[in-house]
Amino acid sequence: MQIKNQRNTNLEILRIISMVLIILHHFVVHGMYGTDIVITNINTYILIFFAMFGKLSVVIFILISAYFMIETKFTIRKLLVLGGEVYFYSFLFLAIGILILTPSNISVESLGQSLFPISHNGYWFVTCYIILMLFSPFMNKCIKALSQKALLKVIILSVILWSVFPTILPPMASYPTQTVFTGNNFQYTPLIWFFVIYLIGSYIRLYLDLDKLKTNKLIIGLIVSIILTYIGTLIFGYVDVTSNAYLWWSLPIESIMKNTLFTGFYAENKFFILIASLCIFLIFLKREEFSNKYINYLAGSALGVYLIHENTIVSTLLWKPLHLTTYYNSPYLPLIGIIITILIYIVCSGIDIIRRLTIEKIWIWIVDNKLNFLSKWTEHVADYLIEK
């Protein structure tokens, strides 16, 4: 059943699930910061498994956005509303940080990211997403000007260059790979990958016949991709770390997550992560559409949950007091991680709903009544540039 003029709650549920998995990823990266990894500890392998799903969720978010953006018109109003949300949280938590933290705990970098969160990469995902939004009118015109076959060829070439090759070609480096990395990435950047995912999401919306896809095959593809990603992560990461005999996994988790091939095999552009993301997206997309206003409204705070818990100052206030590293040897660590993840989502979602009912309403009124001239002017300029 096709529901007109209403959001597909299947995709809104997927949006919520993806954000939960991103928090679970941050539980590992931030919450377990400082933990010295031990190869014989089963929690090591559980934490690595948890961490995988954050990157997968990034791809899903862009797929969802591309699926809708290819058939919608870009407006400066959307950009202003999004920017207002980003700057509100950045300024709010900077003020809270100044009141609570000592000056030594607010670095120049944190200050710059709080004052200029978009241009200074306070939230890397948001920076890439806004650039993608700005280019979307031109992307849409180019995509629709291509034939289906030509668009598919562009996608295949892009995936080969920025997904297949980086997955199968070793970086020819040992720990720490971050400082001695040699290019197997064909100048890959997250922004390039966002554009590639946009092409894929657009192709799905414009040309893919969902009726020809079998849900059971998508589920098998998802399971196989996750297994291959996990096995590849362990093999590549283990070889990378143990190639230096003096290390033998006595590394803090932040080094494992940032400087070794553990993350190298499940980064957002790696091939099996891409396949797994596509399978999940298509599974939810194939489900019969329905609309639930309560779930849809809750999903509208997914980005707010990200902006709150991943704020550079909030991270300092959130994760350290929990002392999660003391549970590294506990059999309850996985359960603790899941409970904390859900609690963070609920609390952050509640905070964002309050913002949407108060501050955002005021900001939207300002945008619609006081800044509408800006919207109209930029739309005229955009229409002129696109047409010319």
Side-chain angles (χ1 to χ4, degrees), residues 62-63 65-72 132 135-155 158 193-208 386:
I62 300 303
L63 282 172
S65 298
Y67 184 80
F68 291 110
M69 288 168 67
I70 186 62
E71 294 289 19
T72 57
L132 187 67
F135 276 91
S136 63
F138 306 98
M139 291 278 289
N140 291 350
K141 192 171 184 67
C142 292
I143 288 170
K144 292 180 178 179
L146 293 172
S147 66
Q148 178 182 356
K149 185 177 292 186
L151 177 58
L152 185 59
K153 289 179 180 179
V154 172
I155 292 172
S158 300
W193 191 236
F194 275 33
F195 278 97
V196 175
I197 298 302
Y198 192 93
L199 294 176
I200 297 172
S202 300
Y203 183 91
I204 291 172
R205 178 66 180 270
L206 295 174
Y207 300 117
L208 191 64
I386 293 170

Side-chain angles (χ1 to χ4, degrees), residues 208-219:
L208 191 64
D209 186 353
L210 295 175
D211 292 333
K212 293 183 178 180
L213 299 176
K214 302 298 182 182
T215 300
N216 59 341
K217 291 184 178 180
L218 291 173
I219 293 174

Side-chain angles (χ1 to χ4, degrees), residues 33-50:
Y33 188 94
T35 304
D36 289 334
I37 294 298
V38 179
I39 192 171
T40 56
N41 191 330
I42 187 64
N43 284 335
T44 297
Y45 303 95
I46 296 174
L47 290 174
I48 292 173
F49 186 74
F50 282 175

